Amino acid sequence: MEHSPAEAVQTPAPRREAVDVAIIGAGPSGAVAAALLRKAGHSVLVLERQHFPRFSIGESLLPQSMAYLEEAGMLQAVVEAGFQYKNGAHFAWRDRTSSFDFRDKHSPGWGTTYQVERAKFDEVLIGCAAQQGAEVRFGHTVLAMRTGAAPMLEVADESEARYEVHARFVLDASGFGRVLPRLLNLEAPTRQPTRTAIFSHVRDGLPLDAFDRNKICVATHPEHRDVWFWMIPLAGGRSSVGCVAEAAFLDVPEAEREARLRELIREEPTLNRLIGDAPFLMPVRQISGYSANVASLHGAGYALLGNAGEFLDPVFSSGVTIALRSAHLAVEVLKRALAGETVDWSAEYDVPLRKGIDTFRAFVDRWYTGELQDIIYYPQQAPSIRRMISSVLAGYAWDESNPFVADPVRRLNVLHQACTQ
């Protein structure tokens, strides 16, 4: 029997699967969204390009994030995982220091959290989501998306076999991978300068009285106030240490990256005392141009969570908190949409989420100009204002009972003026 040329080249139609919600990415926002949707009775498929455990940056959580982990049924697993306890932040510049205890804050809610190795933390969270019935596929890459009332994802597994996922809705929780912003051309200019972070882990060997391991240390370079360092004590005597600056300041060949980070650590008195020549436990890594933005956090059949939508800067460790807040807000809207209600994604998701992001942005911008540093190191701090600042640093950037959330730009400008008169 003869076949026409057209018939001879036909290939089988790709496998088709149907699910209520497809989630791209198995990081914290994807895991929490998956768990919350399963609690509401929806079928969930999580598609993750990598295999876990895998390294990720963003190791210092904020207390606000604990409420979302508790809501998602993950709190016990996180508490029992053995992460380093965290109750605040310690700032240092030259001979000046200022410490904030996040339990002493304006906003109600959690005042403590953890400093985590993200490989383990992310694995714990997605494991909880899987235990609650979410299907998780590692090594599966989203290649394309058809938007609209009936969204469809084209996916490839590691054997390069392709299949289609037809979902009622898609959540992009792909973090710095930013899958849908790339595929759908959603990127928008960011207002942040191009900055670079170089970082590693060390065996710190700190005596118990050398530093409060329950706090992240944020230190400013003695000569360059827009260059700063982090030291995040982790469990087991390990610390994450890194430096952030505009790209040109850290622009060295990869082979010289370790020497550059060591040189910078020695230039900053606090880190030189605490870290000094402690050996790096892994190659010094670099992330550049990480700040990102999109014109809209939602579209026909999809919404963007966490870093897939917008990432500001690592200075106040806001990334995971914004990611978990976005998962909480998006799921609240999505549950109603899946129940047949008319929802307004802009008014109910985009605008409320960006309110907190803009609060963090006001703090980040003034950190790099030095204005927030002037406030943090001001010696005569009013206790009530200090508690308001502490609340934002603890992640409560959506609590509009706090004047520094309700009107952060004006309030910070006025406060800085008062601190420098």
Side-chain angles (χ1 to χ4, degrees):
M1 181 177 179
E2 294 185 358
H3 296 275
S4 70
E7 292 174 323
V9 298
Q10 283 183 344
T11 56
R15 185 176 88 243
R16 295 165 56 96
E17 301 184 21
V19 68
D20 286 341
V21 182
I23 298 176
I24 306 169
S29 63
V32 166
L36 295 176
L37 288 164
R38 285 299 302 142
K39 284 177 176 289
H42 296 291
S43 59
V44 178
L45 173 61
V46 181
L47 301 163
E48 169 59 52
R49 178 176 58 86
Q50 296 181 291
H51 286 272
F52 283 24
R54 55 89 178 94
F55 179 86
S56 182
I57 200 66
E59 299 148 313
S60 191
L61 307 183
L62 300 183
Q64 167 77 96
S65 63
M66 300 297 285
Y68 306 122
L69 298 175
E70 185 174 26
E71 178 188 26
M74 299 174 174
L75 185 59
Q76 181 177 345
V78 171
V79 170
E80 293 179 351
F83 297 120
Q84 169 65 46
Y85 177 77
K86 175 185 175 181
N87 63 20
H90 176 79
F91 296 90
W93 178 49
R94 297 178 178 173
D95 60 348
R96 303 184 190 183
T97 61
S98 182
S99 289
F100 286 81
D101 187 325
F102 293 157
R103 294 165 295 186
D104 184 18
K105 63 186 189 318
H106 167 87
S107 304
W110 285 81
T112 62
T113 184
Y114 295 97
Q115 297 176 153
V116 302
E117 291 187 58
R118 283 287 302 278
K120 181 178 179 181
F121 177 73
D122 291 11
E123 191 173 35
V124 166
L125 298 197
I126 198 61
C128 289
Q131 289 172 4
Q132 295 181 51
E135 182 179 355
V136 184
R137 296 178 187 170
F138 295 101
H140 288 239
T141 301
V142 174
L143 304 175
M145 179 181 180
R146 183 186 69 204
T147 60
M152 183 273 288
L153 297 176
E154 182 182 349
V155 186
D157 63 21
E158 288 180 305
S159 69
E160 299 187 1
R162 300 191 177 196
Y163 61 96
E164 295 178 355
V165 175
H166 294 256
R168 298 173 65 189
F169 203 83
V170 174
L171 294 174
D172 184 354
S174 59
F176 290 122
R178 300 175 62 77
V179 171
L180 292 190
R182 287 188 296 101
L183 293 177
L184 303 178
N185 194 28
L186 305 175
E187 303 280 6
T190 176
R191 287 174 266 174
Q192 302 297 324
T194 299
R195 296 192 176 98
T196 292
I198 56 174
F199 53 91
S200 185
H201 284 184
V202 299
R203 181 71 60 194
D204 55 58
L206 296 175
L208 291 178
D209 60 349
F211 181 75
D212 184 355
R213 297 190 70 89
N214 298 330
K215 292 178 174 62
I216 182 176
C217 177
V218 177
T220 305
H221 190 282
E223 305 304 327
H224 307 282
R225 295 190 76 181
D226 62 340
V227 177
W228 64 276
F229 304 81
W230 76 74
M231 188 189 76
I232 303 171
L234 302 169
R238 190 180 184 106
S239 282
S240 171
V241 59
C243 179
V244 176
E246 292 202 22
F249 189 81
L250 298 175
D251 186 18
V252 297
E254 183 176 352
E256 300 174 20
R257 199 177 289 159
E258 180 173 327
R260 180 62 171 149
L261 180 56
R262 181 69 67 191
E263 173 191 30
L264 288 165
I265 288 172
R266 290 172 179 154
E267 290 176 1
E268 200 293 305
T270 299
L271 286 202
N272 188 39
R273 174 175 61 86
L274 297 174
I275 300 296
D277 294 325
F280 295 128
L281 299 179
M282 64 183 190
V284 174
R285 299 173 184 244
Q286 176 174 310
I287 298 178
S288 297
Y290 41 73
S291 296
N293 193 17
V294 290
S296 176
L297 294 172
H298 63 94
Y302 68 87
L304 309 177
L305 306 183
N307 296 347
E310 180 162 1
F311 182 74
L312 289 173
D313 190 272
V315 63
F316 300 122
S317 305
S318 61
V320 173
T321 297
I322 291 172
L324 300 189
R325 176 76 176 190
S326 71
H328 163 83
L329 285 174
V331 169
E332 288 301 301
V333 179
L334 183 52
K335 287 190 298 187
R336 293 173 41 233
L338 294 175
E341 295 184 36
T342 300
V343 299
D344 184 337
W345 278 95
S346 180
E348 299 176 55
Y349 175 65
D350 195 316
V351 171
L353 182 62
R354 287 188 193 268
K355 174 60 182 176
I357 293 173
D358 287 343
T359 298
F360 282 124
R361 189 192 325 281
F363 277 64
V364 167
D365 289 346
R366 282 153 186 78
W367 171 266
Y368 283 104
T369 62
E371 294 169 78
L372 185 60
Q373 296 178 44
D374 292 338
I375 292 170
I376 286 174
Y377 296 119
Y378 184 67
Q380 287 88 41
Q381 298 178 2
S384 61
I385 295 178
R386 182 178 172 83
R387 284 192 289 271
M388 295 172 189
I389 300 295
S390 182
S391 284
V392 176
L393 297 179
Y396 292 90
W398 291 269
D399 175 16
E400 296 199 48
S401 73
N402 184 346
F404 289 89
V405 173
D407 191 4
V409 171
R410 186 179 69 84
R411 289 283 183 171
L412 286 171
N413 290 347
V414 170
L415 181 59
H416 178 256
Q417 186 177 19
C419 291
T420 53
Q421 281 182 342

